Amino acid sequence: MKRFDLLNTPLSGRNLIEASAGTGKTFTIAGLFVRLLLESPDPESRNPATVNRILVVTFTEAATRELRDRIRRRIRDALDAFSAGYSDDRFLQGLLDRHPDRKRAGELLFAALSSFDEAPVFTIHGFCQRMLQDNPFESGSLFDTRLVTDQEAIYREIAEDFWRRTFFSAPKSLARAALAAGMGPELLTELARGRRPGRFLSVIPDVAGPDPADPREPAEEECDALLLGIKRDFFRYLTDELPRRKRRDNVRFFDDLLLDLHGALEGERGASLAAAVRSRFAAALIDEFQDTDPVQYAIFDRIFPTGESPLFLIGDPKQAIYSFRGADVFAYLAAAGEAGSR
């Protein structure tokens, strides 16, 4: 692990920048953005880092607004420094020393500031939605899909259908045990609501529910195990039915956007989709990376493979254990192990 040098770190490869909260992560992202603008100066080159080709991704709308504001202000500060020919800011003075053609640098910064509204600064969900919409044939996504913020109605519909399918012809003793345990559609809906989305998850213990072909009444001591199996069967049913019913209604929830993009990248046309997305961006800066999970990391790993466009992952490793925020410490450790520079 090396001490990070904002002014001199190479703008290439895959890089993991680890920093605690309040130590200047946003300042670092804004500084990297300015360096990328200045250090790929030829707009005719194969992969110019113009303002609309530097991808910035974070995890909340509030963080997106803050990043936009801070990056815009940093570009303005740099433009003022190149116009004046000096700066009290050590980083900006370092840029002045590195780029003697101040007129050319000023033109690049002015162009970036003038077109900053085109800067692709997204939340992770916004990024996935845009890539799916802009690449419908490669991703296989549906047109005119409606984004919903509440899945409660679909959860309840699935829970009620599963309840009827399971208990309509179930042995009476099992139905009584389920009612005594409060295992009705309301409980199943609550279980669905607490389920974490993802293709990397499994439910344990993997126990069997009742066999519809077995007509006998289970003994009282068997019912607890069977009820646990019913919960496991419900998660299987939910995993199959939830995406099917969303496609039926042509609706998606926020986490579906990540799963859809991940699935498309892993699918038959995944390589062409990854190439299409990668061609749009000269570099990528991923903020709050400690909140990543296997799906999110797999998306960026596939789009920006090691050795291609510069990829900077910025996060606080101490917060990677906070699973209640969606973080997955093992995904973070995998990313750290694959970073070319840390």
Side-chain angles (χ1 to χ4, degrees):
M1 185 181 297
K2 299 178 296 185
R3 186 176 180 85
F4 179 69
D5 182 348
L6 177 58
L7 187 60
N8 296 304
T9 192
L11 299 179
S12 61
R14 184 176 297 185
N15 305 270
L16 178 63
I17 301 173
E18 297 179 307
S20 300
T23 58
K25 287 185 293 180
T26 304
F27 176 87
T28 296
I29 292 170
L32 288 170
F33 198 103
V34 171
R35 278 193 62 200
L36 285 163
L37 290 171
L38 292 174
E39 295 179 27
S40 178
D42 183 4
E44 303 302 322
S45 66
R46 184 178 63 86
N47 200 28
T50 50
V51 74
N52 62 328
R53 289 177 49 77
I54 303 174
L55 173 66
V56 181
V57 177
T58 187
F59 285 81
T60 67
E61 292 287 354
T64 301
R65 290 191 294 271
E66 181 185 4
L67 274 172
R68 278 191 165 276
D69 180 62
R70 294 284 292 277
I71 293 170
R72 188 196 300 266
R73 279 192 283 155
R74 201 57 172 157
I75 296 172
R76 165 56 68 186
D77 291 343
L79 178 57
D80 290 344
F82 276 93
S83 298
Y86 71 93
S87 176
D88 294 331
D89 184 306
R90 187 172 63 177
F91 170 72
L92 295 180
Q93 185 59 51
L95 292 181
L96 285 167
D97 295 340
R98 178 176 296 171
H99 299 280
D101 188 351
R102 293 172 183 172
K103 180 175 182 295
R104 177 61 177 152
E107 290 171 351
L108 289 169
L109 293 167
F110 181 78
L113 198 61
S114 300
S115 57
F116 190 76
D117 287 345
E118 300 175 17
V121 182
F122 295 113
T123 63
I124 179 64
H125 299 100
F127 168 73
C128 292
Q129 183 179 30
R130 177 64 64 84
M131 295 307 103
L132 290 167
Q133 289 174 342
D134 290 355
N135 301 278
F137 298 106
E138 294 88 347
S139 66
S141 59
L142 298 173
F143 292 98
D144 300 324
T145 298
R146 182 166 53 93
L147 186 63
V148 297
T149 58
D150 187 356
Q151 304 184 94
E152 189 72 16
I154 300 178
Y155 285 154
R156 176 164 289 279
E157 178 186 291
I158 292 173
E160 290 175 348
D161 287 350
F162 176 82
W163 171 262
R164 285 190 291 267
R165 287 162 55 99
T166 302
F167 289 102
F168 181 75
S169 57
K172 292 180 181 178
S173 59
L174 184 60
R176 285 195 296 269
L179 291 172
M183 188 186 287
E186 294 79 9
L187 176 63
L188 296 177
T189 302
E190 185 176 341
L191 289 175
R193 199 182 301 128
R195 169 183 172 272
R196 284 277 305 278
R199 294 185 174 93
F200 298 91
L201 303 177
S202 59
V203 178
I204 54 176
D206 190 4
V207 294
D211 182 357
D214 183 359
R216 69 183 181 86
E217 291 284 337
E220 183 176 345
E221 58 271 17
E222 294 179 272
C223 287
D224 287 345
L226 289 173
L227 291 179
L228 189 59
I230 287 172
K231 288 182 180 179
R232 179 65 183 85
D233 290 346
F234 173 66
F235 280 112
R236 286 197 185 101
Y237 184 74
L238 179 67
T239 299
D240 292 338
E241 284 296 306
L242 189 59
R244 189 186 70 78
R245 298 191 190 203
K246 287 178 179 177
R247 285 196 170 270
R248 177 199 67 190
D249 299 338
N250 200 15
V251 298
R252 312 305 286 152
F253 189 65
F254 290 113
D255 287 324
D256 296 319
L257 301 171
L258 279 78
L259 295 173
D260 287 352
L261 184 56
H262 175 261
L265 288 166
E266 295 296 324
E268 182 180 347
R269 289 173 286 187
S272 61
L273 175 60
V277 176
R278 187 162 54 248
S279 69
R280 294 181 55 166
F281 304 111
L285 311 172
I286 314 301
D287 186 26
E288 302 292 354
F289 191 71
Q290 74 276 354
D291 291 337
T292 195
D293 63 22
V295 172
Q296 294 164 13
Y297 177 57
I299 287 171
F300 293 116
D301 183 53
R302 187 67 185 271
I303 295 174
F304 301 105
T306 303
E308 294 284 342
S309 305
L311 173 64
F312 287 86
L313 310 172
I314 302 101
D316 180 355
K318 297 187 295 299
Q319 297 185 41
I321 62 171
Y322 295 156
S323 59
F324 66 89
R325 290 197 324 205
D328 185 299
V329 66
F330 299 106
Y332 185 90
L333 291 174
E338 294 173 7
S341 176
R342 185 178 181 188

